[in-house]
Amino acid sequence: MSSLRPFLAFSILLILYTDIVAAASSSSSKFRSGSATVHNPKLPPPTLSASKRFEGSSNLVNLRYHMGPVLSSSPINIYLIWYGKWALPEQNLIKDFLLSFSVAAAAPSPSVAEWWRTVTLYNDQTGANVSRSIEIADEYSDRRYSLGTQLTRLSIQQVIASAVRSAPLPVDHRNGIYLILTSGDVIVQDFCRAVCGFHYFTFPSMVGYTLPYAWVGNSGQQCPEVCAYPFAIPGYMGGGGAAALSPPNGDIGVDGMISVIGHELAELSSNPLVNAWYAGEDPTAPTEIGDLCEGLYGSGGGGGYIGAVMKDGEGRSFNLNGGNGRRFLVQWLWSPVLKACAGPNALD
């Protein structure tokens, strides 16, 4: 449900290796894929490779369906709420990512739209799958910090309430999700310490309606080494470990947000009311399809390794292509078909 970007994927119980490791003769292997170099910042020793494939595959992951709805109505309407002061290039970068979900033909493989197809494998009790179509339906900017620069989880819902009550945004019960993005100078409860983003649904007592929503903060100023990993790394990982990667669009904070946004939207779509797809027995702390693959971006990943990703001619790392020529680095998601973490940039 909440995303704390694991610079510490060691905490994931699934140790993930693939057959590309067996071909590695050192801690760094390189391959060619079109104009981009495919690389793994630090592969584990080849002797650790035991399985043929399936990063994160495990019979122990008990991901179950709990009879609740998924976001199957088409299109999924995203209502963007920009809280705080955002520069236009930052907004355009995030919007280009969101618009890439449905534009399969506009971006070469591996694409954001192909990545979203993993989410569309999840369905409800009627057999309806999560929608493949996503649109930015409307947006609203709160540049005056109407609730201040320090927000609690509940005041995030008040931000939504303000947006729908004053009518800049509609109330969309059927197709809508509300995405609140806070600027780098806004402090949110548990941000950087326990979460980089979270999703839930609004309380009628707070907003007047039950609406699925997600929040993600810009960590560029506050904790890039936590929420913008692997574009920044903690000091204690600096010696001997993998170096920080160069962000694909040159903005550590916003490029770091992109993967958290993807994580939260994937979970929100497959578990909007926290009663659909998750592992574990506690619905107040579910393990969802993004949580199972945190810190994993490509083949050969796991146990602290992000996996094989690509690098452009300027040394910037990415694993997905998007619209408007954009590239992004976005974590993989759990596939209910493969019963493993999956992404379109897989090498096996």
Side-chain angles (χ1 to χ4, degrees):
M1 174 181 297
S2 61
S3 173
L4 179 57
R5 302 286 302 289
F7 50 97
L8 303 167
F10 305 101
S11 62
I12 301 176
L13 297 177
L14 314 170
I15 306 299
L16 323 169
Y17 303 112
T18 66
D19 56 340
I20 67 165
V21 178
S25 58
S26 70
S27 65
S28 179
S29 291
K30 291 187 177 181
F31 310 87
R32 278 284 169 186
S33 175
S35 62
T37 299
V38 179
H39 71 106
N40 190 321
K42 186 147 184 172
L43 286 174
T47 55
L48 294 179
S49 178
S51 68
K52 187 67 176 171
R53 62 153 299 148
F54 294 163
E55 293 76 4
S57 61
S58 174
N59 293 328
L60 301 178
V61 175
N62 187 23
L63 183 72
R64 295 189 297 116
Y65 176 55
H66 296 80
M67 305 305 289
V70 299
L71 296 182
S72 58
S73 296
S74 187
I76 296 173
N77 290 327
I78 295 181
Y79 296 95
L80 276 170
I81 300 175
W82 305 95
Y83 189 88
K85 294 180 180 177
W86 288 87
L88 185 59
E90 296 174 325
Q91 293 177 314
N92 287 339
L93 174 53
I94 291 172
K95 288 194 285 188
D96 281 346
F97 174 62
L98 297 174
L99 292 171
S100 299
F101 282 41
S102 302
V103 207
S109 184
S111 69
V112 174
E114 291 171 330
W115 171 85
W116 184 254
R117 286 177 192 164
T118 295
V119 187
T120 67
L121 296 173
Y122 290 88
N123 58 13
D124 63 18
Q125 58 187 311
T126 71
N129 293 73
V130 172
S131 174
R132 286 193 175 191
S133 178
I134 296 179
E135 296 180 357
I136 298 174
D138 207 345
E139 56 187 308
Y140 167 66
S141 293
D142 187 343
R143 297 180 59 85
R144 296 179 302 166
Y145 304 86
S146 60
L147 293 169
T149 58
Q150 298 189 35
L151 304 178
T152 65
R153 285 178 178 253
L154 280 179
S155 59
I156 292 291
Q157 294 199 22
Q158 291 177 320
V159 172
I160 302 172
S162 297
V164 298
R165 285 174 183 162
S166 58
L169 296 183
V171 174
D172 189 344
H173 292 286
R174 180 174 173 80
N175 294 49
I177 57 178
Y178 297 77
L179 178 58
I180 304 91
L181 304 172
T182 49
S183 56
D185 55 347
V186 177
I187 298 170
V188 177
Q189 179 184 359
D190 293 330
F191 185 35
C192 296
R193 184 184 66 82
V195 297
C196 301
F198 62 79
H199 73 88
Y200 207 58
F201 52 86
T202 60
F203 304 146
S205 59
M206 293 286 294
V207 181
Y209 313 92
T210 299
L211 304 170
Y213 75 93
W215 159 80
V216 178
N218 186 333
S219 67
Q221 298 178 31
Q222 298 183 45
C223 58
E225 72 284 356
V226 176
C227 293
Y229 177 87
F231 305 130
I233 59 174
Y236 65 82
M237 293 179 68
L245 302 185
S246 179
N249 300 285
D251 189 320
I252 289 177
V254 179
D255 275 312
M257 289 182 75
I258 294 294
S259 188
V260 184
I261 291 171
H263 174 120
E264 297 302 334
L265 291 182
E267 293 184 342
L268 184 60
S269 298
S270 58
N271 195 29
L273 300 181
V274 201
N275 60 357
W277 289 94
Y278 64 88
E281 301 303 322
D282 183 0
T284 65
T287 300
E288 297 169 295
I289 68 171
D291 300 326
L292 290 167
C293 303
E294 279 193 293
L296 180 61
Y297 297 80
S299 295
Y305 307 103
I306 73 165
V309 297
M310 291 168 282
K311 186 181 290 186
D312 67 16
E314 298 181 23
R316 297 173 297 192
S317 295
F318 68 100
N319 65 351
L320 299 177
N321 294 299
N324 289 331
R326 298 281 197 183
R327 289 169 166 173
F328 306 101
L329 187 68
V330 183
Q331 71 150 94
W332 282 11
L333 301 169
W334 187 264
S335 166
V337 174
L338 297 176
K339 299 194 184 309
C341 296
N345 61 307
L347 297 179
D348 49 358

